Amino acid sequence: MLNLITGQKAKFTDVGIAQQFTLVVELMTNSAVIDVACFGLDSQQKLASDDYMTFYNQPKTPCGAVSWQATNQQQRFDIDLNKLPNTIDYLVLTATIDGQTTMRELGASKVILEQAGQTLATYHFDGSGFDSERAIMLLQVYRKNEVWRINAIGQGFSGGLSALVTHFGGEVADDNSRSTQPHSESALSTDIPDSQSKPFNLKKVTLDKPGSEHRINLTKGSSDHLIVEAIWIDNGDASANNDDLDLRVGILAQNGKAISYVHAPEQSGSLSRMPYIEHQGDIKVASANEPGKETVLVSSDIAKHYGGRVALVFSVYSAVSNGAVSIASLQPKMRMQYKDQIIECVFNIKASPKAKSNLVYTYVIGIAIIDEQGITLQHSGETSKRMSEATPQLAWKGDKVELKINGAPMFKSG
């Protein structure tokens, strides 16, 4: 077993580390709440996208290479480097304190690298190496000359999570805090350059259980649209012809009689007239480096246009002609954004075990109920029956909606 000290590096091949392993973080503290995150960085050590920051509010990367869970005093990151896109060369494990406590108060803590239940490397540290810092870069897994390596960084920052995001080249949305330079550059393996990227939202909410929901508040008089994306990954086989999902939106006003649908390319809709929803186009592929994504825009005034509450059901559909792959292999999720508010409904195989079958073609990624004040987004995870190409339907039951996947099949022509 390798006992790492701060600044020490080692090749995976020297330690016997394979491509699949777990990083276990144990932090000893009396009262502080400490969050642990894993940043996925590109070859320039810049944050690739907000999808590659894995933490309690976003427990899994789109490719499935990094996943987070907390158990008792441990935070665990299961890592499969085989699934990691080749655009990601660094995984950096960090810890940040929520509040004004400093890392000096840490007791005997450690990061453990486990593989198949066996400890291969351990990095021990405590608060004696820190002063006023509220964030630490703990450990780095990185690729150099096509060889994966490990680096015990142990470097503190005075700022918190937003300072780390900024240091990794990100811009934090609606956060006026500035990144604080490390107290010592000697422990860093390489310099991380400053850069500009799209704002990173630290307030993103993730829903992963059926029935869980979150409310987005609408700004009166705003012209901002609601952006809804269906995102899925390459299923990992050698074919590029079966990674195609189609996003469909069912619309039912509370005072309406029948559900209508928006889908590409036949019924793309409009933002300026009924249905006040517009599909942005059909996407037919996903790759290891770039997930598939279909997008719809929803007018923030849709409830006003319909004269009352409107229910929307968002589903993804994979036809028999697409190669009959399982929904689970594509890991679909839904991302809803209004201004700086983001909610994601992520795929949960425990909630949708039927989706493992390649004979299930429809998966409901979320249901939204919209009034003039706001939007309530609900996780669903419901699937169609095996060998059925039925379409999801809604029915109002008082102030709630009932979902049934029994509508007539809809086939796209191209």
Side-chain angles (χ1 to χ4, degrees):
M1 185 184 74
L2 176 65
N3 286 308
L4 293 163
I5 62 173
T6 300
Q8 184 177 355
K9 305 172 186 176
K11 295 180 180 179
F12 274 25
T13 50
D14 292 342
V15 188
I17 304 171
Q19 300 289 290
Q20 295 176 318
F21 55 91
T22 299
L23 293 177
V24 183
V25 183
E26 296 182 1
L27 300 169
M28 296 294 105
T29 176
N30 292 327
S31 58
V33 177
I34 302 181
D35 299 321
V36 182
C38 181
F39 288 84
L41 310 178
D42 62 19
S43 61
Q44 301 301 310
Q45 298 203 53
K46 295 187 295 185
L47 185 62
S49 77
D50 62 357
D51 287 330
Y52 283 91
M53 177 182 166
T54 310
F55 66 130
Y56 70 91
N57 223 11
Q58 184 167 258
K60 194 171 186 178
T61 59
C63 61
V66 183
S67 60
W68 169 95
Q69 62 177 320
T71 58
N72 298 323
Q73 292 183 319
Q74 294 183 343
Q75 296 190 50
R76 303 174 65 90
F77 293 82
D78 293 318
I79 296 172
D80 186 347
L81 297 177
N82 292 312
K83 295 181 179 179
L84 202 66
N86 56 22
T87 53
I88 304 294
D89 290 302
Y90 295 84
L91 296 175
V92 181
L93 205 61
T94 68
T96 55
I97 286 183
D98 184 10
Q100 297 304 312
T101 309
T102 70
M103 291 295 181
R104 188 172 182 82
E105 298 183 24
L106 277 178
S109 303
K110 59 185 174 181
V111 179
I112 304 166
L113 191 152
E114 290 182 352
Q115 184 173 287
Q118 180 182 3
T119 298
L120 297 186
T122 305
Y123 172 46
H124 292 269
F125 59 95
D126 58 35
S128 64
F130 307 105
D131 188 10
S132 61
E133 296 94 330
R134 294 194 298 115
I136 311 172
M137 285 193 287
L138 296 170
L139 201 73
Q140 181 186 71
V141 171
Y142 67 104
R143 177 166 42 197
K144 182 178 180 181
N145 298 328
E146 301 306 316
V147 176
W148 284 99
R149 306 159 192 254
I150 190 170
N151 177 21
I153 301 177
Q155 181 63 52
F157 276 71
S158 293
L161 184 59
S162 60
L164 281 172
V165 174
T166 305
H167 184 70
F168 290 136
E171 177 187 351
V172 181
D174 289 335
D175 191 333
N176 294 323
S177 63
R178 298 179 180 178
S179 65
T180 304
Q181 293 299 317
H183 289 276
S184 170
E185 299 293 337
S186 60
L188 294 175
S189 61
T190 58
D191 292 330
I192 302 175
D194 293 331
S195 65
Q196 294 293 326
S197 64
K198 66 179 182 179
F200 184 90
N201 195 313
L202 299 176
K203 301 176 182 178
K204 178 162 54 179
V205 174
T206 299
L207 306 178
D208 64 354
K209 294 180 176 61
S212 58
E213 62 181 43
H214 188 77
R215 177 83 170 173
I216 289 179
N217 296 317
L218 295 173
T219 303
K220 190 173 182 179
S222 172
S223 60
D224 291 89
H225 302 309
L226 178 69
I227 303 170
V228 181
E229 298 170 327
I231 304 168
W232 66 95
I233 66 172
D234 187 326
N235 67 6
D237 64 14
S239 174
N241 298 322
N242 58 6
D243 301 320
D244 180 13
L245 287 179
D246 298 309
L247 171 61
R248 292 175 173 174
V249 188
I251 308 119
L252 181 64
Q254 192 167 21
N255 56 9
K257 295 182 179 180
I259 191 169
S260 59
Y261 296 92
V262 165
H263 55 98
E266 293 93 346
Q267 302 292 333
S268 59
S270 172
L271 281 170
S272 58
R273 59 183 185 276
M274 289 292 186
Y276 297 98
I277 298 175
E278 185 174 279
H279 201 298
Q280 301 301 290
D282 184 25
I283 302 298
K284 299 182 180 181
V285 296
S287 69
N289 294 332
E290 185 174 0
K293 181 191 298 184
E294 290 195 6
T295 305
V296 297
L297 303 179
V298 181
S299 169
S300 58
D301 287 330
I302 189 171
K304 181 178 180 181
H305 293 309
Y306 278 83
R309 289 184 177 181
V310 179
L312 308 179
V313 54
F314 299 91
S315 63
V316 287
Y317 165 75
S318 177
V320 175
S321 58
N322 287 344
V325 298
S326 70
I327 297 292
S329 69
L330 300 172
Q331 298 285 310
K333 71 176 179 180
M334 171 184 176
R335 175 180 293 162
M336 175 181 284
Q337 179 169 358
Y338 176 72
K339 293 182 178 291
D340 67 339
Q341 301 174 81
I342 299 175
I343 309 175
E344 287 190 350
C345 292
V346 298
F347 183 81
N348 181 351
I349 192 59
K350 292 182 180 179
S352 306
K354 295 178 183 177
K356 291 188 289 186
S357 170
N358 60 3
L359 299 178
V360 170
Y361 308 127
T362 296
Y363 173 81
V364 179
I365 51 178
I367 296 172
I369 298 177
I370 306 178
D371 55 47
E372 293 191 36
Q373 287 73 48
I375 304 150
T376 300
L377 180 63
Q378 303 171 351
H379 187 285
S380 174
E382 292 290 329
T383 66
S384 58
K385 295 180 180 179
R386 287 164 57 91
M387 300 183 69
S388 169
E389 297 188 76
T391 303
Q393 293 209 101
L394 295 175
W396 280 96
K397 302 293 182 181
D399 290 336
K400 300 183 180 298
V401 291
E402 180 182 86
L403 168 70
K404 291 185 178 181
I405 307 180
N406 59 2
M410 292 188 296
F411 303 97
K412 69 177 183 179
S413 59

